[in-house]
Short mmCIF file of all heavy atoms in Angstrom, two decimals:
data_model
loop_
_atom_site.label_atom_id
_atom_site.label_comp_id
_atom_site.label_asym_id
_atom_site.label_seq_id
_atom_site.Cartn_x
_atom_site.Cartn_y
_atom_site.Cartn_z
N MET A 1 12.19 -1.32 6.33
CA MET A 1 11.24 -0.67 5.43
C MET A 1 9.91 -0.40 6.17
O MET A 1 9.40 -1.27 6.85
CB MET A 1 10.99 -1.61 4.23
CG MET A 1 9.95 -1.12 3.27
SD MET A 1 9.80 -2.16 1.78
CE MET A 1 9.97 -3.83 2.36
N LYS A 2 9.48 0.86 6.07
CA LYS A 2 8.18 1.23 6.66
C LYS A 2 7.26 1.68 5.55
O LYS A 2 7.66 2.41 4.65
CB LYS A 2 8.37 2.36 7.66
CG LYS A 2 9.16 1.95 8.91
CD LYS A 2 8.41 1.01 9.82
CE LYS A 2 7.35 1.76 10.59
NZ LYS A 2 6.66 0.82 11.55
N VAL A 3 5.99 1.27 5.62
CA VAL A 3 5.04 1.55 4.58
C VAL A 3 3.87 2.33 5.16
O VAL A 3 3.33 1.96 6.23
CB VAL A 3 4.51 0.23 3.95
CG1 VAL A 3 3.57 0.52 2.82
CG2 VAL A 3 5.66 -0.64 3.46
N PHE A 4 3.49 3.39 4.46
CA PHE A 4 2.38 4.24 4.88
C PHE A 4 1.43 4.47 3.71
O PHE A 4 1.87 4.57 2.56
CB PHE A 4 2.89 5.61 5.33
CG PHE A 4 3.96 5.58 6.39
CD1 PHE A 4 5.31 5.56 6.02
CD2 PHE A 4 3.62 5.53 7.74
CE1 PHE A 4 6.29 5.49 6.99
CE2 PHE A 4 4.61 5.50 8.71
CZ PHE A 4 5.94 5.47 8.34
N VAL A 5 0.17 4.59 4.02
CA VAL A 5 -0.83 5.00 3.01
C VAL A 5 -1.55 6.25 3.53
O VAL A 5 -2.02 6.29 4.66
CB VAL A 5 -1.87 3.89 2.72
CG1 VAL A 5 -3.04 4.47 1.91
CG2 VAL A 5 -1.24 2.76 1.97
N ASP A 6 -1.60 7.26 2.69
CA ASP A 6 -2.37 8.48 3.00
C ASP A 6 -3.82 8.22 2.54
O ASP A 6 -4.12 8.28 1.35
CB ASP A 6 -1.78 9.67 2.27
CG ASP A 6 -2.49 10.97 2.62
OD1 ASP A 6 -3.61 10.90 3.14
OD2 ASP A 6 -1.91 12.03 2.35
N GLN A 7 -4.64 7.89 3.50
CA GLN A 7 -6.00 7.51 3.16
C GLN A 7 -6.82 8.68 2.62
O GLN A 7 -7.84 8.49 1.96
CB GLN A 7 -6.72 6.86 4.36
CG GLN A 7 -6.07 5.53 4.69
CD GLN A 7 -6.75 4.82 5.87
OE1 GLN A 7 -7.14 5.46 6.84
NE2 GLN A 7 -6.83 3.52 5.79
N ASP A 8 -6.37 9.90 2.87
CA ASP A 8 -7.06 11.08 2.33
C ASP A 8 -6.80 11.24 0.84
O ASP A 8 -7.59 11.86 0.12
CB ASP A 8 -6.64 12.34 3.06
CG ASP A 8 -7.13 12.35 4.50
OD1 ASP A 8 -8.18 11.72 4.76
OD2 ASP A 8 -6.46 12.97 5.34
N ARG A 9 -5.68 10.69 0.39
CA ARG A 9 -5.37 10.73 -1.05
C ARG A 9 -5.87 9.52 -1.81
O ARG A 9 -6.15 9.63 -3.03
CB ARG A 9 -3.86 10.82 -1.26
CG ARG A 9 -3.20 12.08 -0.74
CD ARG A 9 -1.72 12.08 -1.06
NE ARG A 9 -1.51 12.24 -2.49
CZ ARG A 9 -1.09 13.38 -3.04
NH1 ARG A 9 -0.81 14.40 -2.30
NH2 ARG A 9 -0.94 13.47 -4.36
N CYS A 10 -5.97 8.39 -1.17
CA CYS A 10 -6.33 7.13 -1.82
C CYS A 10 -7.67 7.29 -2.56
O CYS A 10 -8.62 7.83 -2.05
CB CYS A 10 -6.44 6.04 -0.76
SG CYS A 10 -7.02 4.46 -1.38
N VAL A 11 -7.67 6.75 -3.81
CA VAL A 11 -8.90 6.77 -4.63
C VAL A 11 -9.47 5.36 -4.81
O VAL A 11 -10.30 5.16 -5.70
CB VAL A 11 -8.65 7.47 -5.98
CG1 VAL A 11 -8.28 8.93 -5.78
CG2 VAL A 11 -7.57 6.74 -6.80
N ALA A 12 -9.03 4.43 -3.96
CA ALA A 12 -9.63 3.10 -3.90
C ALA A 12 -9.52 2.32 -5.22
O ALA A 12 -10.38 1.54 -5.56
CB ALA A 12 -11.11 3.20 -3.45
N SER A 13 -8.40 2.51 -5.90
CA SER A 13 -8.26 1.84 -7.21
C SER A 13 -7.86 0.37 -7.07
O SER A 13 -8.12 -0.43 -7.95
CB SER A 13 -7.20 2.56 -8.02
OG SER A 13 -5.93 2.44 -7.38
N GLY A 14 -7.20 0.01 -5.99
CA GLY A 14 -6.91 -1.37 -5.73
C GLY A 14 -5.60 -1.90 -6.31
O GLY A 14 -5.23 -3.05 -6.06
N GLN A 15 -4.86 -1.09 -7.03
CA GLN A 15 -3.60 -1.58 -7.61
C GLN A 15 -2.61 -2.08 -6.58
O GLN A 15 -1.87 -3.01 -6.81
CB GLN A 15 -2.92 -0.50 -8.48
CG GLN A 15 -3.42 -0.43 -9.87
CD GLN A 15 -4.31 0.80 -10.03
OE1 GLN A 15 -5.09 1.08 -9.16
NE2 GLN A 15 -4.15 1.51 -11.11
N CYS A 16 -2.59 -1.40 -5.42
CA CYS A 16 -1.60 -1.79 -4.40
C CYS A 16 -1.85 -3.16 -3.89
O CYS A 16 -0.92 -3.92 -3.59
CB CYS A 16 -1.59 -0.77 -3.27
SG CYS A 16 -3.19 -0.55 -2.45
N VAL A 17 -3.12 -3.56 -3.77
CA VAL A 17 -3.43 -4.90 -3.29
C VAL A 17 -3.05 -5.94 -4.35
O VAL A 17 -2.48 -7.00 -4.00
CB VAL A 17 -4.95 -5.01 -3.00
CG1 VAL A 17 -5.30 -6.42 -2.50
CG2 VAL A 17 -5.38 -3.98 -1.98
N PHE A 18 -3.22 -5.58 -5.60
CA PHE A 18 -2.82 -6.48 -6.69
C PHE A 18 -1.27 -6.62 -6.66
O PHE A 18 -0.76 -7.73 -6.87
CB PHE A 18 -3.31 -5.92 -8.04
CG PHE A 18 -3.01 -6.81 -9.18
CD1 PHE A 18 -3.72 -7.98 -9.39
CD2 PHE A 18 -2.01 -6.48 -10.06
CE1 PHE A 18 -3.44 -8.82 -10.46
CE2 PHE A 18 -1.72 -7.31 -11.16
CZ PHE A 18 -2.42 -8.47 -11.35
N ALA A 19 -0.57 -5.53 -6.45
CA ALA A 19 0.88 -5.53 -6.50
C ALA A 19 1.50 -6.20 -5.30
O ALA A 19 2.52 -6.91 -5.41
CB ALA A 19 1.42 -4.11 -6.63
N ALA A 20 0.91 -6.02 -4.13
CA ALA A 20 1.55 -6.51 -2.88
C ALA A 20 0.44 -6.97 -1.92
O ALA A 20 0.27 -6.36 -0.85
CB ALA A 20 2.43 -5.44 -2.27
N ASP A 21 -0.23 -8.00 -2.30
CA ASP A 21 -1.33 -8.54 -1.45
C ASP A 21 -0.70 -8.99 -0.11
O ASP A 21 0.36 -9.57 -0.07
CB ASP A 21 -1.97 -9.74 -2.17
CG ASP A 21 -3.27 -10.16 -1.52
OD1 ASP A 21 -3.88 -9.37 -0.78
OD2 ASP A 21 -3.68 -11.31 -1.78
N GLY A 22 -1.41 -8.69 0.96
CA GLY A 22 -0.90 -9.03 2.29
C GLY A 22 -0.22 -7.85 2.95
O GLY A 22 -0.19 -7.79 4.18
N VAL A 23 0.39 -6.99 2.15
CA VAL A 23 0.93 -5.74 2.70
C VAL A 23 -0.19 -4.69 2.72
O VAL A 23 -0.34 -3.95 3.67
CB VAL A 23 2.11 -5.24 1.87
CG1 VAL A 23 2.60 -3.88 2.41
CG2 VAL A 23 3.23 -6.27 1.91
N PHE A 24 -0.98 -4.70 1.60
CA PHE A 24 -2.11 -3.76 1.51
C PHE A 24 -3.42 -4.55 1.41
O PHE A 24 -3.46 -5.67 0.91
CB PHE A 24 -1.99 -2.90 0.24
CG PHE A 24 -0.73 -2.12 0.16
CD1 PHE A 24 0.36 -2.59 -0.57
CD2 PHE A 24 -0.59 -0.90 0.84
CE1 PHE A 24 1.54 -1.86 -0.64
CE2 PHE A 24 0.59 -0.18 0.78
CZ PHE A 24 1.67 -0.69 0.04
N ASP A 25 -4.47 -3.94 1.88
CA ASP A 25 -5.83 -4.47 1.68
C ASP A 25 -6.72 -3.26 1.46
O ASP A 25 -6.28 -2.12 1.58
CB ASP A 25 -6.27 -5.27 2.89
CG ASP A 25 -7.46 -6.18 2.58
OD1 ASP A 25 -7.92 -6.22 1.42
OD2 ASP A 25 -7.91 -6.86 3.51
N GLN A 26 -7.97 -3.51 1.10
CA GLN A 26 -8.92 -2.42 0.95
C GLN A 26 -10.07 -2.60 1.92
O GLN A 26 -10.54 -3.71 2.15
CB GLN A 26 -9.48 -2.43 -0.49
CG GLN A 26 -8.52 -1.95 -1.53
CD GLN A 26 -9.09 -2.04 -2.93
OE1 GLN A 26 -9.08 -3.10 -3.51
NE2 GLN A 26 -9.60 -0.94 -3.44
N ARG A 27 -10.53 -1.48 2.49
CA ARG A 27 -11.66 -1.54 3.42
C ARG A 27 -12.90 -2.04 2.66
O ARG A 27 -13.16 -1.63 1.53
CB ARG A 27 -11.96 -0.15 3.98
CG ARG A 27 -10.83 0.44 4.81
CD ARG A 27 -11.28 1.59 5.70
NE ARG A 27 -11.78 2.72 4.95
CZ ARG A 27 -11.52 4.01 5.25
NH1 ARG A 27 -10.71 4.31 6.26
NH2 ARG A 27 -12.05 4.98 4.55
N ASP A 28 -13.64 -2.88 3.33
CA ASP A 28 -14.85 -3.43 2.71
C ASP A 28 -15.83 -2.34 2.36
O ASP A 28 -16.48 -2.42 1.29
CB ASP A 28 -15.53 -4.44 3.65
CG ASP A 28 -14.72 -5.72 3.77
OD1 ASP A 28 -13.94 -6.02 2.85
OD2 ASP A 28 -14.94 -6.42 4.77
N GLU A 29 -15.95 -1.34 3.17
CA GLU A 29 -17.04 -0.39 3.01
C GLU A 29 -16.82 0.61 1.87
O GLU A 29 -17.77 1.05 1.21
CB GLU A 29 -17.38 0.35 4.31
CG GLU A 29 -16.23 1.19 4.86
CD GLU A 29 -15.33 0.44 5.82
OE1 GLU A 29 -15.19 -0.78 5.68
OE2 GLU A 29 -14.75 1.10 6.71
N ASP A 30 -15.58 0.97 1.61
CA ASP A 30 -15.33 2.00 0.59
C ASP A 30 -14.13 1.77 -0.28
O ASP A 30 -13.84 2.59 -1.17
CB ASP A 30 -15.24 3.38 1.25
CG ASP A 30 -14.16 3.46 2.32
OD1 ASP A 30 -13.37 2.52 2.41
OD2 ASP A 30 -14.14 4.47 3.06
N GLY A 31 -13.40 0.69 -0.04
CA GLY A 31 -12.26 0.37 -0.91
C GLY A 31 -10.99 1.14 -0.64
O GLY A 31 -9.98 0.95 -1.32
N ILE A 32 -11.04 2.01 0.36
CA ILE A 32 -9.82 2.75 0.71
C ILE A 32 -8.79 1.78 1.25
O ILE A 32 -9.10 0.85 1.99
CB ILE A 32 -10.15 3.84 1.75
CG1 ILE A 32 -11.13 4.87 1.18
CG2 ILE A 32 -8.86 4.52 2.27
CD1 ILE A 32 -10.61 5.67 -0.01
N ALA A 33 -7.54 2.04 0.85
CA ALA A 33 -6.46 1.12 1.22
C ALA A 33 -6.11 1.21 2.66
O ALA A 33 -6.17 2.28 3.28
CB ALA A 33 -5.21 1.42 0.37
N VAL A 34 -5.73 0.05 3.20
CA VAL A 34 -5.17 -0.05 4.56
C VAL A 34 -3.87 -0.81 4.47
O VAL A 34 -3.69 -1.70 3.59
CB VAL A 34 -6.14 -0.73 5.55
CG1 VAL A 34 -7.38 0.11 5.78
CG2 VAL A 34 -6.51 -2.13 5.09
N VAL A 35 -2.96 -0.53 5.38
CA VAL A 35 -1.69 -1.25 5.43
C VAL A 35 -1.85 -2.39 6.45
O VAL A 35 -2.13 -2.14 7.60
CB VAL A 35 -0.53 -0.32 5.84
CG1 VAL A 35 0.77 -1.10 5.97
CG2 VAL A 35 -0.38 0.82 4.82
N LEU A 36 -1.71 -3.59 5.98
CA LEU A 36 -1.83 -4.76 6.86
C LEU A 36 -0.47 -5.05 7.53
O LEU A 36 -0.45 -5.53 8.63
CB LEU A 36 -2.24 -6.01 6.06
CG LEU A 36 -3.61 -6.00 5.42
CD1 LEU A 36 -3.83 -7.32 4.67
CD2 LEU A 36 -4.70 -5.82 6.48
N ASP A 37 0.61 -4.78 6.81
CA ASP A 37 1.94 -5.04 7.34
C ASP A 37 2.80 -3.82 7.05
O ASP A 37 3.28 -3.63 5.95
CB ASP A 37 2.51 -6.30 6.65
CG ASP A 37 3.88 -6.66 7.21
OD1 ASP A 37 4.41 -5.94 8.07
OD2 ASP A 37 4.44 -7.69 6.75
N ASP A 38 2.98 -2.94 8.06
CA ASP A 38 3.68 -1.71 7.80
C ASP A 38 5.21 -1.90 7.89
O ASP A 38 5.95 -0.92 7.64
CB ASP A 38 3.20 -0.58 8.74
CG ASP A 38 3.57 -0.81 10.20
OD1 ASP A 38 4.16 -1.86 10.52
OD2 ASP A 38 3.25 0.06 11.03
N SER A 39 5.66 -3.08 8.22
CA SER A 39 7.11 -3.36 8.22
C SER A 39 7.36 -4.69 7.51
O SER A 39 7.78 -5.65 8.11
CB SER A 39 7.64 -3.43 9.67
OG SER A 39 7.37 -2.23 10.36
N PRO A 40 7.08 -4.72 6.23
CA PRO A 40 7.21 -6.01 5.52
C PRO A 40 8.66 -6.43 5.38
O PRO A 40 9.57 -5.60 5.43
CB PRO A 40 6.60 -5.70 4.13
CG PRO A 40 6.66 -4.25 3.98
CD PRO A 40 6.58 -3.66 5.33
N PRO A 41 8.90 -7.72 5.22
CA PRO A 41 10.25 -8.22 5.09
C PRO A 41 10.90 -7.70 3.78
O PRO A 41 10.21 -7.37 2.84
CB PRO A 41 10.10 -9.73 5.07
CG PRO A 41 8.71 -9.98 4.70
CD PRO A 41 7.89 -8.81 5.18
N ASP A 42 12.20 -7.69 3.79
CA ASP A 42 12.94 -7.09 2.67
C ASP A 42 12.71 -7.83 1.35
O ASP A 42 12.82 -7.24 0.29
CB ASP A 42 14.44 -7.06 3.02
CG ASP A 42 15.06 -5.76 2.59
OD1 ASP A 42 14.48 -4.68 2.89
OD2 ASP A 42 16.13 -5.78 1.93
N ASP A 43 12.33 -9.09 1.45
CA ASP A 43 12.12 -9.82 0.17
C ASP A 43 10.81 -9.39 -0.52
O ASP A 43 10.53 -9.85 -1.61
CB ASP A 43 12.19 -11.34 0.37
CG ASP A 43 11.10 -11.87 1.31
OD1 ASP A 43 10.24 -11.07 1.80
OD2 ASP A 43 11.14 -13.10 1.58
N ARG A 44 10.07 -8.50 0.12
CA ARG A 44 8.87 -7.96 -0.52
C ARG A 44 9.07 -6.54 -1.02
O ARG A 44 8.13 -5.88 -1.46
CB ARG A 44 7.68 -8.04 0.46
CG ARG A 44 7.42 -9.45 0.94
CD ARG A 44 5.99 -9.68 1.28
NE ARG A 44 5.15 -9.65 0.09
CZ ARG A 44 3.82 -9.70 0.14
NH1 ARG A 44 3.21 -9.80 1.28
NH2 ARG A 44 3.09 -9.65 -0.97
N ARG A 45 10.29 -6.08 -0.92
CA ARG A 45 10.57 -4.68 -1.27
C ARG A 45 10.16 -4.34 -2.71
O ARG A 45 9.55 -3.30 -2.98
CB ARG A 45 12.07 -4.37 -1.06
CG ARG A 45 12.44 -2.96 -1.41
CD ARG A 45 13.91 -2.70 -1.12
NE ARG A 45 14.25 -2.81 0.28
CZ ARG A 45 14.11 -1.80 1.16
NH1 ARG A 45 13.67 -0.62 0.76
NH2 ARG A 45 14.41 -1.97 2.41
N ALA A 46 10.45 -5.24 -3.63
CA ALA A 46 10.16 -4.95 -5.05
C ALA A 46 8.65 -4.81 -5.23
O ALA A 46 8.18 -3.93 -5.95
CB ALA A 46 10.74 -6.03 -5.94
N GLU A 47 7.90 -5.68 -4.58
CA GLU A 47 6.42 -5.61 -4.69
C GLU A 47 5.91 -4.31 -4.10
O GLU A 47 5.00 -3.68 -4.67
CB GLU A 47 5.77 -6.77 -3.96
CG GLU A 47 6.04 -8.15 -4.52
CD GLU A 47 5.58 -9.21 -3.55
OE1 GLU A 47 4.40 -9.31 -3.24
OE2 GLU A 47 6.43 -9.95 -3.05
N VAL A 48 6.42 -3.96 -2.96
CA VAL A 48 5.96 -2.75 -2.31
C VAL A 48 6.32 -1.51 -3.13
O VAL A 48 5.50 -0.59 -3.30
CB VAL A 48 6.57 -2.64 -0.87
CG1 VAL A 48 6.26 -1.28 -0.24
CG2 VAL A 48 6.00 -3.76 0.00
N GLN A 49 7.51 -1.50 -3.70
CA GLN A 49 7.90 -0.36 -4.53
C GLN A 49 7.07 -0.31 -5.83
O GLN A 49 6.74 0.76 -6.30
CB GLN A 49 9.40 -0.44 -4.84
CG GLN A 49 10.22 -0.11 -3.56
CD GLN A 49 11.72 -0.14 -3.76
OE1 GLN A 49 12.20 -0.89 -4.61
NE2 GLN A 49 12.44 0.61 -2.99
N ASP A 50 6.73 -1.48 -6.33
CA ASP A 50 5.83 -1.48 -7.51
C ASP A 50 4.47 -0.91 -7.14
O ASP A 50 3.84 -0.17 -7.91
CB ASP A 50 5.62 -2.91 -8.02
CG ASP A 50 6.80 -3.41 -8.86
OD1 ASP A 50 7.67 -2.60 -9.18
OD2 ASP A 50 6.82 -4.60 -9.17
N ALA A 51 4.00 -1.27 -5.94
CA ALA A 51 2.71 -0.74 -5.49
C ALA A 51 2.76 0.79 -5.35
O ALA A 51 1.86 1.48 -5.82
CB ALA A 51 2.32 -1.37 -4.14
N ALA A 52 3.83 1.28 -4.79
CA ALA A 52 3.95 2.74 -4.60
C ALA A 52 4.05 3.42 -5.96
O ALA A 52 3.40 4.46 -6.19
CB ALA A 52 5.18 3.05 -3.76
N ALA A 53 4.82 2.84 -6.87
CA ALA A 53 4.99 3.48 -8.18
C ALA A 53 3.69 3.43 -8.99
O ALA A 53 3.46 4.31 -9.81
CB ALA A 53 6.11 2.76 -8.94
N GLY A 54 2.89 2.41 -8.75
CA GLY A 54 1.68 2.23 -9.55
C GLY A 54 0.44 2.89 -8.98
O GLY A 54 -0.61 2.87 -9.61
N CYS A 55 0.59 3.50 -7.80
CA CYS A 55 -0.58 4.09 -7.18
C CYS A 55 -0.95 5.38 -7.93
O CYS A 55 -0.15 6.32 -8.00
CB CYS A 55 -0.27 4.43 -5.72
SG CYS A 55 -1.61 5.36 -4.93
N PRO A 56 -2.14 5.44 -8.48
CA PRO A 56 -2.53 6.60 -9.26
C PRO A 56 -2.68 7.88 -8.44
O PRO A 56 -2.71 8.98 -8.99
CB PRO A 56 -3.86 6.18 -9.89
CG PRO A 56 -4.42 5.16 -8.95
CD PRO A 56 -3.22 4.45 -8.41
N ALA A 57 -2.80 7.72 -7.13
CA ALA A 57 -3.00 8.87 -6.26
C ALA A 57 -1.71 9.29 -5.52
O ALA A 57 -1.74 10.24 -4.74
CB ALA A 57 -4.09 8.57 -5.24
N VAL A 58 -0.62 8.56 -5.81
CA VAL A 58 0.63 8.82 -5.10
C VAL A 58 0.39 8.86 -3.60
O VAL A 58 0.86 9.76 -2.89
CB VAL A 58 1.31 10.14 -5.59
CG1 VAL A 58 2.81 10.16 -5.22
CG2 VAL A 58 1.19 10.28 -7.10
N ALA A 59 -0.33 7.88 -3.14
CA ALA A 59 -0.74 7.84 -1.72
C ALA A 59 0.16 6.96 -0.85
O ALA A 59 -0.04 6.89 0.37
CB ALA A 59 -2.18 7.35 -1.63
N ILE A 60 1.08 6.24 -1.48
CA ILE A 60 1.89 5.28 -0.74
C ILE A 60 3.29 5.82 -0.56
O ILE A 60 3.92 6.27 -1.51
CB ILE A 60 1.95 3.93 -1.52
CG1 ILE A 60 0.53 3.33 -1.63
CG2 ILE A 60 2.90 2.94 -0.80
CD1 ILE A 60 0.47 2.13 -2.56
N THR A 61 3.78 5.76 0.68
CA THR A 61 5.14 6.19 1.01
C THR A 61 5.90 4.98 1.54
O THR A 61 5.37 4.23 2.38
CB THR A 61 5.10 7.28 2.10
OG1 THR A 61 4.33 8.36 1.59
CG2 THR A 61 6.51 7.78 2.38
N VAL A 62 7.12 4.80 1.06
CA VAL A 62 8.01 3.75 1.55
C VAL A 62 9.27 4.40 2.07
O VAL A 62 9.92 5.18 1.38
CB VAL A 62 8.34 2.76 0.42
CG1 VAL A 62 9.23 1.62 0.97
CG2 VAL A 62 7.12 2.19 -0.25
N GLU A 63 9.58 4.10 3.33
CA GLU A 63 10.78 4.65 3.97
C GLU A 63 11.70 3.52 4.35
O GLU A 63 11.26 2.48 4.82
CB GLU A 63 10.41 5.47 5.20
CG GLU A 63 9.64 6.74 4.89
CD GLU A 63 9.32 7.54 6.15
OE1 GLU A 63 9.60 7.06 7.27
OE2 GLU A 63 8.74 8.63 6.02
N GLY A 64 13.00 3.79 4.22
CA GLY A 64 13.98 2.81 4.67
C GLY A 64 14.30 1.73 3.67
O GLY A 64 13.64 1.58 2.64
S1 SF4 B 1 -3.09 1.94 -5.35
FE1 SF4 B 1 -3.20 3.92 -4.27
S2 SF4 B 1 -5.21 4.78 -4.75
FE2 SF4 B 1 -5.29 2.59 -5.27
S3 SF4 B 1 -6.11 1.56 -3.41
FE3 SF4 B 1 -3.86 1.54 -3.26
S4 SF4 B 1 -3.33 3.39 -2.07
FE4 SF4 B 1 -5.43 3.64 -2.82
#
C-alpha cells in the first residue's frame, strides 16, 4: 500500500490525522497534511482507507 497526499488540494481539516495518526500529520505552520509513513503496514489499511474516504478535499490517494 502506498499513500499520497495532494498538498495543493488539502484544506488542513485534520480528519486524516484523527483517522490514521502516525501515517498522516499536519504541518505546524499551516496545517497542511504530510505523509509520515507512505508505506504503512497492511494492518493499518482500514484506518488509511477511512482517512481517504473522510477527506473533505479528496486529497488522499491509496494505491495497492
Ligand atoms: S483530511 Fe484531507 S483536507 Fe484534511 S488535513 Fe487530511 S489531507 Fe488535508
Side-chain angles (χ1 to χ4, degrees):
M1 175 175 40
K2 294 288 286 183
V3 182
F4 307 91
V5 168
D6 183 343
Q7 293 181 322
D8 292 332
R9 294 184 69 105
C10 175
V11 296
S13 65
Q15 275 105 318
C16 58
V17 181
F18 184 74
D21 193 20
V23 176
F24 303 98
D25 198 2
Q26 286 177 279
R27 297 196 299 220
D28 288 338
E29 62 270 29
D30 57 10
I32 297 297
V34 294
V35 178
L36 295 179
D37 182 359
D38 69 358
S39 302
D42 222 47
D43 63 3
R44 302 210 67 187
R45 180 177 295 275
E47 293 168 63
V48 172
Q49 289 180 331
D50 281 351
C55 174
V58 198
I60 299 170
T61 303
V62 182
E63 292 181 355

